[in-house]
Amino acid sequence: MRPENEGRLRALIECGRIVIGPWLVQPDEFLPSGESHIRSFQRGIRYADRLGGSLKVGHCADQILATSRRCRS
């Protein structure tokens, strides 16, 4: 995030127009270890809370690719 946009982003988060988190970085489901998933989750929540709040639902957006990988095996 560009520092000059922090106030604008914070205002949008606080009024509910933008929802962020809980991941710091959206991980690939199969590459990182379980610990790195948890650390990204924890850091993402802390960062989002400083900006006004984090989404309270964890998800892994890689499910379609994961399914296609399993189908090719």
Side-chain angles (χ1 to χ4, degrees), residues 2 4 10-14 19 23-24 31 34 36 46 49-50 61-62 64 67 71 73:
R2 294 184 178 185
E4 65 269 18
R10 184 183 303 270
L12 291 168
I13 293 167
E14 288 174 355
V19 180
W23 299 103
L24 182 64
L31 294 179
S36 63
R46 281 194 303 267
D49 284 347
R50 283 196 307 258
D62 194 31
I64 293 172
T67 302
C71 292
S73 322

Side-chain angles (χ1 to χ4, degrees), residues 1-18 51:
M1 171 179 58
R2 294 184 178 185
E4 65 269 18
N5 291 327
E6 182 176 339
R8 192 168 148 225
L9 179 60
R10 184 183 303 270
L12 291 168
I13 293 167
E14 288 174 355
C15 74
R17 295 196 55 205
I18 292 180
L51 290 174

Side-chain angles (χ1 to χ4, degrees), residues 16-54:
R17 295 196 55 205
I18 292 180
V19 180
I20 63 171
W23 299 103
L24 182 64
V25 176
Q26 179 66 52
D28 184 287
E29 182 181 4
F30 293 109
L31 294 179
S33 69
E35 182 177 349
S36 63
H37 280 291
I38 296 301
R39 288 180 184 266
S40 175
F41 197 68
Q42 291 172 326
R43 291 181 67 199
I45 290 171
R46 281 194 303 267
Y47 183 73
D49 284 347
R50 283 196 307 258
L51 290 174
S54 173

